[in-house]
Amino acid sequence: MTSDGVSSARVPARVDLEPSARTVPLGSPPVDLLRRLRARGAGDPVTHVERVPARVGVPAPWPDWAQPELRAAFARRGVVAPWQHQAEAATLVYGGGHVIVATGTASGKSLAYQLPALATLLADPRATVLYLAPTKALAADQLRAVVGLELEGVRPACYDGDTPRAEREWIRRHSRFVLTNPDMLHHGILPGHAQWSGFLRRLAYVVIDECHTYRGVFGSHVAHVLRRLRRQCARFGAGPVFVLASATSGDPATAAGRLTGLPVTAVTEDTSPRGGVTFALWEPPLLPPDSSAPAVPTQAAGDHDAMTDLVQVRRSALRETADLLADTVAEGVRTLAFVRSRKGAEVVAANARRALDDAVPGLGDRVAAYRGGYLREERRELERALLHGDLLGLASTNALELGVDLVGLDAVLICGYPGTRASLWQQAGRAGRSGQEALAVLVARDDPLDTYLVHHPEAIFGAPVEATVLDPANPYVLAPQLACAAAEAPLTPADLALFGDGTKEAIDQLVEAGALRQRPTGWYWRHRERPEVDLRGEGGAPVCVVEAATGRLLGTVDGSSSHFLLHPGAVYLHQGVSYVVDDLDLADGCALVHVEEPDWSTHARDVTDLSVVSVRSYVDAGPVGMFLGEVDVTSQVVSYQRRRIATGEVIDTRPLDLPIRELRTVAVWFTLSERSMASAGVQTADVPGALHAAEHAAIGLLPLMATCDRWDIGGLSTALHPDTEAPTVFVYDGHPGGAGFAERAYGTASAWLRATRDAIAECGCETGCPSCVQSPKCGNGNNPLSKPDAIRVLDVVLENLPA
Ligand SMILES: [Zn+2]
Ligand SMILES: [Zn+2]
C-alpha cells in the first residue's frame, strides 16, 4: 500500500519506528549534529540551512455524497477523515471536473481519486473506472489498496502483460476497476476496443497516477494514447472524468491539459501533516590547486560510466558523502545515503566502512550498500536491519527501489541533486519520525545545476518552477499515433481538433505514403496488420555491449550515445570493470568488447553542423535575439583522443570511420551583436570560448525549468553562424521532432539564463570547472572555454531580454 490517507493516529499509516535499545536516539536536535559535521574540516561547506517546520494536518469532514459503507471501509484502514485537499479534489472530481492533484510525497493523493471513483461505483452498479500507472509495481500496490477496502461489486483487477489469458476475458466482462499501464492501453485495450465496448461505454473515470512521469517523447505518445481512449469512449457515448495525481511541479494544470487535451483544475495545497526537518545544502570544498587530478568517472559523468577529460577541482561528492555517513554512524544516528549510480553507492558504503573500521574495528559492519540487483527478501532483510538498528548506515541508489515502509530515519544524505524536486523530496521524506526532528543534507556534485541549487535555496524550498513538458504536436509522434487511431476506427474531420495542431498535415502525409486511404466517410488504415509503434522508443534502438570471449551481455547503451561511448578502441567502464571495444556493428546494434585496463582513457570528438529550417517564434531585443524553431542537426564522431589516466596527457588522436547522423528537431537559440559583446569587454578572440562556456552551463541548468537531464539536450555555439549571421548559441532537443524541452527553455528564457549566469558566477573556481562551464559530454574536449566572458555574454542577453 502506498502511504495515503489519514490514519486515526494523525501520523502516516506506516510503521512508526521506536528507537531500539541499540540505537542512540538523536538526543539533541539535528542542528547540533549538523554543527558537529560541518566543524570537522577546514572551511564551512554548508551554504544554507533551511528549517522545514513540522506541519499540523488540516482534516475535513467526509463529503456528504460519500456513502456510510465507503467511510466505514476507509475507517477500517485507519482513515477517519480526509485531509482538506483530499476532500476538495474529491468533490471537484465527483462534480464532473477534470482535476490534477499535485502535492508532496505521502500527502494522500490516492484518496482524492479513490473516494469519488468508489462512491460512483457504489452508487451506479454499471459504472467502471480505468486506472493507469507508469509501472506494474505501482498498479499492484494500488490493487492491494482497493482490494483491502473490501467493497462489494467493485471487483478490482490488474490487466497487464502478466495477466493470464484465462483471466483476461473475465476482467473485461466483470471488473469495474481495471488497473493497467499506458503500454497495455496502447497495445492491448484500444486495438481490442470491440471486446472492451461494455467497459468503455460505462467508463466514468480515468485515473492517471504519477502523471509527472509522462514527459518528453514518451509523454507525448501517452498524450495521444489518451486522446485515442477519449475517441473510443465518445464512439460508445461515454465522456469519462480524468483525475491525475502528480508530484509537485511548476504549472501542473497546463501539463495535465497537454497530456489529456482537456481543461484541468489543479489542487496544489498540501494539508497533510509532516515532521520537521533541518535541511542543509552542502558544497564540497575546492581542492588545493596542486592536488588536481583527473575526475573520478562515476561522479563526473553522472549515471553514465563514461570517462571524461574533466579535471577535478572540488572534493568529490562521493567522498564527502562517505565521510558524512561514517560520521553520523559513529554518532549512532540511523542514516540513509542516496547516491545516483549503483557503483557510486558501493563506493560510498565501502569508504564509510573503511573509515569506521579505522576508528573502531568492527564498526564498519554497521554500514551496507543496497542495490536493485538483490532479491526482494535480501532487500527486506537489509531494511529490517536498518529499522531495528542492527545496521546504522545504508547507501542506496534511489527511493523507488526501497520498500515504502523504510521511513523514520534520523538522517538522510543525498549525494547529488537527483534530477527533479519530486525525487529530492521523496528521498528527504525518508527522514523524520513523529515528534522528532530529522536531518537532511544535499551534497552538491560538480555539475552546474547542483552548484546553482546550493547557492539558490529558494529554487528548492520556494515555489516549484520545474515543469513536466511534452509536445503532442511532435510530427514523429503524431503521425504514428494517428496511424494507430485510424487502425482502430477511421479518422474523421471531427478528429482533427481532438489530436490538435499539425493533425491535418500528418494525415495528408500518411495518405501520400500509402498508409491511409481517403474516402468520403474519412481516412482508412490500408493494411491488415496494425502499425508497430513503441511508446518508449527514442534515440534509436539501444546498442548491446557484448563480451566477445563469452558472449555475455554486459548492458545496453542508448543509440544516440553509442557512437560516443562504444566506437572501436573506446575504453568502456561497466560496474567498475574496464573493457576495450573491438568492434561496433551498427547494423546489428551490438558492440563487441574484451576486458582490458589500459592506463589511458578515451575521449570521442565529433563534428556537428546545424542549419535553421524555420523560425516558429522570436523576440527582437535590440542587440539580442531569442528564437524558437526547427533545425537540422548533423553530427559525426570523427576521432578520439587517448589520454593518460594519471596525468591527463594526450597520447595521440586516432581517426574513426562512423556514419553521419541526422536529426530534425526543435531548438532555442540566441544571437548577440558583435558590438554588444565588444562593449561588454569580450575580446574578439574570446568570443568562441565565451559562447561555448555559456552553452554548456545553459544545458546544465535547463533541468531546473523542465524535467529532463542534460543527456536529453544538445548544443552548438559559434562566433558566426551562416543562418543567423551573428554569434549564436543553440540548444536543441536530442529527440527527433523535439520533446518540448527547447520550447520550455524559450518560454522561460530570462529565468533560465539568469540561473545559468548565477551558477557560473557563484562557482568559486578560477577558470572554469565541471561545477560551472565544463561538460562531460563535450565533443570538443571542453575547448575553448572562457568562464569570465561567458558571464559577460549572459549579462548582455539578460540586460536586453524582457523578463
Ligand atoms: Zn567552476
Ligand atoms: Zn562543448
Side-chain angles (χ1 to χ4, degrees):
M1 191 195 83
T2 46
S3 45
D4 284 309
V6 182
S7 85
S8 48
R10 294 273 172 247
V11 293
R14 299 176 288 208
V15 185
D16 191 34
L17 300 168
E18 290 305 323
S20 82
R22 288 202 232 166
T23 312
V24 182
L26 211 56
S28 50
V31 180
D32 290 340
L33 172 63
L34 181 62
R35 189 182 311 126
R36 292 192 295 279
L37 293 175
R38 65 202 285 194
R40 67 199 163 92
D44 186 357
V46 172
T47 57
H48 180 81
V49 178
E50 180 90 7
R51 167 98 168 74
V52 183
R55 184 177 54 211
V56 180
V58 185
W62 289 106
D64 45 19
W65 44 263
Q67 296 89 337
E69 58 185 305
L70 185 56
R71 300 180 200 190
F74 280 114
R76 280 198 301 276
R77 214 173 73 181
V79 180
V80 291
W83 303 117
Q84 201 173 62
H85 69 278
Q86 293 172 322
E88 181 196 343
T91 299
L92 283 170
V93 171
Y94 195 77
H98 307 295
V99 172
I100 178 167
V101 187
T103 50
T105 313
S107 59
K109 289 186 277 275
S110 63
L111 191 67
Y113 54 76
Q114 285 171 356
L115 196 56
L118 295 169
T120 300
L121 294 191
L122 292 179
D124 173 0
R126 292 175 47 79
T128 60
V129 172
L130 183 66
Y131 167 94
L132 298 171
T135 63
K136 288 179 195 168
L138 182 60
D141 270 354
Q142 188 62 211
L143 175 66
R144 271 192 293 278
V146 177
V147 167
L149 291 170
E150 297 173 348
L151 293 167
E152 201 135 319
V154 173
R155 301 186 289 271
C158 275
Y159 190 89
D160 58 34
D162 298 341
T163 309
R165 298 254 155 223
E167 287 174 26
R168 293 189 175 190
E169 194 188 337
W170 184 91
I171 293 170
R172 286 194 294 264
R173 293 166 73 122
H174 301 294
S175 174
R176 297 172 62 217
F177 197 120
V178 171
L179 303 102
T180 186
N181 53 62
D183 305 81
M184 194 63 183
L185 182 58
H186 165 66
H187 289 294
I189 296 175
L190 287 170
H193 56 81
Q195 293 170 303
W196 285 89
S197 60
F199 182 88
L200 294 175
R201 178 173 292 126
R202 297 175 282 128
L203 188 59
Y205 297 99
V206 178
V207 178
I208 307 174
D209 208 352
E210 301 280 323
C211 70
H212 56 277
T213 55
Y214 305 128
R215 64 176 190 89
V217 172
F218 176 50
S220 307
H221 273 291
V222 172
H224 287 298
V225 173
L226 295 175
R227 283 159 179 74
R228 283 161 50 202
L229 171 65
R230 287 175 50 207
R231 195 168 80 111
Q232 289 302 331
C233 289
R235 286 181 63 221
F236 297 123
V241 171
F242 282 70
V243 200
L244 303 95
S246 164
T248 52
S249 66
D251 205 2
T254 301
R258 275 199 161 193
L259 186 63
T260 59
L262 294 163
V264 179
T265 305
V267 172
T268 56
E269 198 194 341
D270 189 343
T271 56
S272 66
R274 68 170 176 216
V277 175
T278 295
F279 206 133
L281 305 183
W282 189 286
E283 186 176 45
L286 292 165
L287 295 167
D290 55 336
S291 65
S292 292
V296 182
T298 46
Q299 62 124 23
D303 301 324
H304 290 244
D305 276 353
M307 265 292 186
T308 75
D309 45 3
L310 306 186
V311 169
Q312 194 181 352
V313 302
R314 271 183 203 288
R315 207 156 181 272
S316 94
L318 291 176
R319 243 177 262 174
E320 204 76 349
T321 304
D323 285 357
L324 286 170
L325 182 59
D327 288 346
T328 54
V329 166
E331 292 216 15
V333 174
R334 273 188 307 205
T335 308
L336 183 55
F338 287 107
V339 187
R340 283 170 60 113
S341 71
R342 195 182 276 198
K343 174 152 181 269
E346 286 176 7
V347 168
V348 165
N351 284 351
R353 269 199 300 267
R354 196 174 313 124
L356 287 164
D357 277 334
D358 284 350
V360 182
L363 193 54
D365 294 345
R366 309 287 293 275
V367 173
Y370 182 108
R371 335 179 240 105
Y374 289 140
L375 296 174
R376 190 186 160 88
E377 297 78 62
E378 295 173 306
R379 297 201 310 230
R380 296 298 167 257
E381 173 53 28
L382 277 177
E383 286 168 12
R384 195 206 55 77
L386 185 63
L387 292 182
H388 289 270
D390 303 333
L391 264 184
L392 282 173
L394 198 58
S396 173
T397 42
N398 76 55
L400 295 177
E401 291 175 355
L402 295 168
V404 291
D405 290 342
L406 188 55
V407 292
L409 295 149
D410 299 319
V412 166
L413 308 173
I414 301 166
C415 179
Y417 184 61
T420 61
R421 283 169 44 120
S423 314
L424 182 79
W425 288 109
Q426 196 169 39
Q427 297 183 354
R430 300 282 178 165
R433 46 186 133 148
S434 62
Q436 271 198 350
E437 297 273 316
L439 178 68
V441 181
L442 170 63
V443 180
R445 287 186 313 154
D446 48 2
D447 175 283
L449 181 56
D450 287 39
T451 304
Y452 177 82
L453 290 171
V454 293
H455 291 283
H456 290 267
E458 76 281 1
I460 293 175
F461 304 106
V465 289
E466 136 207 335
T468 308
V469 302
L470 54 141
D471 181 12
N474 176 339
Y476 295 84
V477 173
L478 180 56
Q481 285 290 335
L482 287 168
C484 294
E488 286 153 15
L491 292 162
T492 66
D495 293 324
L496 298 181
L498 175 68
F499 289 97
D501 287 347
T503 301
K504 183 64 175 57
E505 294 79 356
I507 289 176
D508 289 345
Q509 281 169 12
L510 287 167
V511 170
E512 206 165 296
L516 297 184
R517 172 179 295 145
Q518 185 165 12
R519 291 194 181 145
T521 49
W523 293 274
Y524 286 71
W525 178 245
R526 294 185 59 167
H527 305 283
R528 284 174 66 96
E529 309 78 36
R530 292 192 297 108
E532 286 271 334
V533 178
D534 182 1
L535 303 186
R536 297 168 196 262
E538 48 183 273
V543 172
C544 298
V545 185
V546 175
E547 191 178 26
T550 61
R552 188 163 68 99
L553 175 68
L554 299 175
T556 60
V557 166
D558 216 41
S560 54
S561 343
S562 60
H563 293 207
F564 252 92
L565 301 177
L566 296 175
H567 59 77
V571 176
Y572 173 77
L573 292 176
H574 178 72
Q575 302 205 344
V577 180
S578 170
Y579 298 84
V580 172
V581 178
D582 299 314
D583 185 39
L584 172 61
D585 185 335
L586 290 167
D588 276 359
C590 160
L592 296 176
V593 303
H594 66 271
V595 177
E596 185 184 338
E597 192 158 6
D599 65 349
W600 65 79
S601 56
T602 55
H603 310 270
R605 296 305 176 85
D606 74 347
V607 177
T608 298
D609 246 333
L610 183 153
S611 61
V612 175
V613 178
S614 66
V615 173
R616 252 189 227 175
S617 175
Y618 70 98
V619 179
D620 180 354
V624 172
M626 180 67 64
F627 300 82
L628 178 73
E630 276 86 46
V631 296
D632 277 336
V633 181
T634 57
S635 63
Q636 185 176 25
V637 173
V638 291
S639 64
Y640 68 102
Q641 277 189 347
R642 299 192 301 159
R643 296 191 179 194
R644 295 239 178 269
I645 290 171
T647 60
E649 164 210 354
V650 176
I651 303 169
D652 57 10
T653 301
R654 299 183 164 197
L656 286 167
D657 182 24
L658 287 166
I660 293 178
R661 286 177 303 166
E662 292 174 8
L663 174 71
R664 161 92 37 115
T665 185
V666 179
V668 55
W669 64 95
F670 62 84
T671 58
L672 303 94
S673 72
E674 283 168 16
R675 244 176 74 191
S676 67
M677 278 200 284
S679 40
V682 182
Q683 308 285 319
T684 308
D686 295 327
V687 168
L691 298 173
H692 189 201
E695 173 216 318
H696 279 181
I699 291 172
L701 264 295
L702 191 47
L704 185 66
M705 302 295 160
T707 44
C708 59
D709 72 38
R710 62 158 67 178
W711 298 85
D712 285 326
I713 315 162
L716 181 109
S717 56
T718 167
L720 180 64
H721 192 274
D723 295 334
T724 64
E725 299 177 346
T728 310
V729 172
F730 292 91
V731 172
Y732 57 85
D733 279 18
H735 306 279
F741 305 129
E743 193 183 337
R744 173 76 181 163
Y746 179 78
T748 59
S750 65
W752 166 47
L753 296 177
R754 166 78 53 203
T756 303
R757 186 232 173 256
D758 290 352
I760 303 173
E762 283 154 3
C763 184
C765 72
E766 297 256 315
T767 57
C769 73
S771 303
C772 55
V773 298
Q774 294 184 352
S775 164
K777 53 171 284 195
C778 183
N780 294 303
N782 281 295
N783 185 39
L785 289 175
S786 169
K787 175 178 169 172
D789 289 315
I791 299 171
R792 294 190 184 104
V793 159
L794 290 165
D795 280 338
V796 171
V797 175
L798 291 165
E799 275 159 26
N800 289 283
L801 200 65

